[in-house]
Structure formats: structure tokens, C-alpha cells
Amino acid sequence: MKNKSKFKKIVVAYSGGLDTSIILLWLKEHYNCEIIACCVDVGQHQQFKKLYDKVKKDGASKLRIVDAKEEFVTEYIYPAIMANALYEDKYYLGSALSRPVIAKAIANIVKEENADAVCHGATGKGNDQIRFELAFKALIPNIKIIAPWREWNIQSRADAINYAKEKNIEIPITKSKPYSSDANLWHISYEGGILENLKTKYDESMFEMTVSPESAPDKPTYITIMFERGIPVAINGEKLQPIELISVLNKIAGANGIGRMDIVEDRLVGIKSRGVYECPAAVVLYTAHKELESITIDRDTLQFKHFLSSEYARIVYNGLWFSNLKEAFDAFVITTQKYVTGDIELKLYKGNVISSVKNSKFSLYFEKLATFEKDEMYNHKDAEGFINLWGLPLKIQSMFRK
Ligand code: ARG
């Protein structure tokens, strides 16, 4: 079905992979308008420059490259750390956090180029389509969204390869992998293919950011992370820029076998899916941050914040990054981070992150109060009245409901 006059310009969220390469030509054939490919760098270690010529051969008029790494760390990863956002208690949200930053960069290009449609290569079964499209609805509400995977007849990777061959599209030379993966500064995910069977034991060689705990060094690595108002700013006393801080930590923690997980998670579209992830820096930073919060945030705020963490993760996972609710959560979280400043020393050892020394000028931990020895502030006798009143409802219930 040719629809010649529908759009004048389409911006494509382009990754350089097989799917989005096919998309360029497919769009050209279906919509016969100007196609602009846009790559957003969120730390996926790709040689984008090589793609300038390729996109033209595949049907686009040009390639735009946006470096969003720093924004990804400071505006997306740091808020997630401050919130301790962990989906279903396990997933560090690597892909979920990257989609809104990619979508925002694409939306800016749509505006700059004065395009009237935007296109992404996410399939119709996953979370990413939701995250991209919700972000587009929030940022460029009047722009038409095209999702080829929900429109075309291509149903599988084999179909996609055939289409590419038929149309003479150069298939990107990546090591062919029996699963799908998504990489950025914060994580690499592995899903689908051989991993769909929960009994499959994948090959060790799949991992790129971590060594196995068995092959990690026999001696522990001690590392000190310094936070200022909930944001990590230095490692072992050395101040680091955001991208460097995450990269350095990925290396140190990855070398100690930290950050691998093999989980089943609930996609928003109602499917339980298996995901294998590696996110070494994430595990270390969340651990350190929570340790620091334990001494710098008062009990009630800390416990309430804990409830909120899973809800925060849930809305981010479900694509609501640019929502009022998320903005309101951030306001709460930022307020809680006012005193989350200090240093946490951790011991990294064969896949484990073990907390050792905690230090903050705002610490609420009062050794003289915590002591088992006699102290000036706490009167043991006060506990008696407190317990009587705290337990009063229990006592009454027991008396009247016997
Ligand atoms: N299951 C994870 C999530 O929904 C990872 C998704 C990875 N995306 C991909 N296109 N491979 O966040």
C-alpha cells in the first residue's frame, strides 16, 4: 500500500542494527518522503561515524547523531539511584531509563527538522514501544508515530534478513548472537532466542561487562564512594565526571564478578519474560547509596521512601518517565537527599558487595546513644511507659475478644 502524500519528513530512531536498517528502506517505499536517521549515543559503544554512508544507501537523506551520554547519567541514572528504583526488587532499569532520554533526543530532532512523523524499531510485544511512544506523546504530542513492527509483514529475524537480502540492504556485521541485547552505559540486557527456555544454561562468553565470580580475583577490592546530596561524585577520593564515574565503576565492579542477574520480570503488556542482565556499577552504587541513606535519613522518611522506591521503578518501567506522578516523586526524593552526603567504603569480592565503613558529617548515628553501656540521653525507665501505650490496643483486644 503506497501512501505517497501522507508525510513530508520522518525521523527514525536508528540504531544501525538490522531492524532499523530495513526500516529506512521500508519507510521510503511506503511513504515516499524524506527520511532522517537519528542515532542517540547512550554509551552503547558503537562506531556511529561508519553509518553516515550506510543510511544514505538504505534510503535516508542524512544521519544525525546525538550524544546523550552525560544527560543519561545526570538526568536519568542519578534520579534512579537517589530513588533506589528497582523493578520487582531485581531489575536496575537499564533499558527503561534509556528509552526516555533517547526519545527526548529524537523529539528535539523532529522539532529541528520540522518533521511530521517519528518512527521507532521496537516490536509490538515489548516495553520499549510503550516507553518511546509515551515519551513522544508527552514531548511532541501532534507528531504521528510509526511503528513498522506493528504494520509490516516481517515477523521474525529470518524474515528481516530475507527482506534485507532481497532489497540489497547491507546487513550490519555484528557477531550473530542467539539472543537479543540492549547495551548502554548502565547495563547490557540479554533476552529472547535461546534464553526463552528457562532451563537454558547460556554460555559464559555471552557476558561483556563482568567476569564470573569464580574467575574474579581471590583478593577483595576495597572502594570508597563519595556522595553529595545523594549523587555519587568521587571514587577513592578522586572526583570524577558523571560518564567517567559510571565507566570506571563498571570496570572495577565487573572485574570482581559483580552485577549479573538472571530474572523473570513482568512486562507491561502482560507477559512474563526472562532477562539476563549485567550492570556492575548499578549494583555498587545502589548498595553504597542505601548504606549512606541508612545513617543520614531519619526513620520515618527512610521507611516511607522505601515504599516509594518500588512504585517509582514501576512507573519508569511502564514508560511514565514524563508524567506528573514521576515529577512529584522526584520532588519528594530530592528533598530526602538533602543530607545524603558522605563516604561509603565497600568490599568487592567474587560477585559480592559488602559494606564496610560508613562516614557522614550529617550522620544521625549517635554512638553514645546506640551504646549498650550507660548513656546520658536515654532513660531505660522511659521505655516502660512507651511500651505500655504502644501495646495498649493489643492488650484491649485480647481482653475483649477472648
Ligand atoms: N526487559 C527489559 C526492559 O523491558 C530490557 C529490554 C531490552 N530491550 C531490547 N530492545 N532488547 O526494560
Side-chain angles (χ1 to χ4, degrees), residues 27 100 131 148 152 251 278:
L27 286 173
R131 298 169 183 152
W152 62 22
K251 291 228 168 66
E278 39 184 355

Side-chain angles (χ1 to χ4, degrees), residues 214-267:
E214 295 91 318
S215 48
D218 291 327
K219 263 179 51 196
T221 303
Y222 287 89
I223 183 172
T224 301
I225 301 175
M226 183 181 157
F227 290 84
E228 268 167 19
R229 293 177 174 244
I231 292 170
V233 292
I235 297 176
N236 296 334
E238 194 190 341
K239 290 239 177 193
L240 294 173
Q241 292 308 307
I243 300 173
E244 206 191 349
L245 186 134
I246 304 293
S247 311
V248 165
L249 260 184
N250 272 330
K251 291 228 168 66
I252 300 175
N256 281 284
I258 288 153
R260 288 186 183 183
M261 48 216 75
D262 179 345
I263 65 176
V264 170
E265 72 197 45
D266 285 283
R267 288 190 196 159

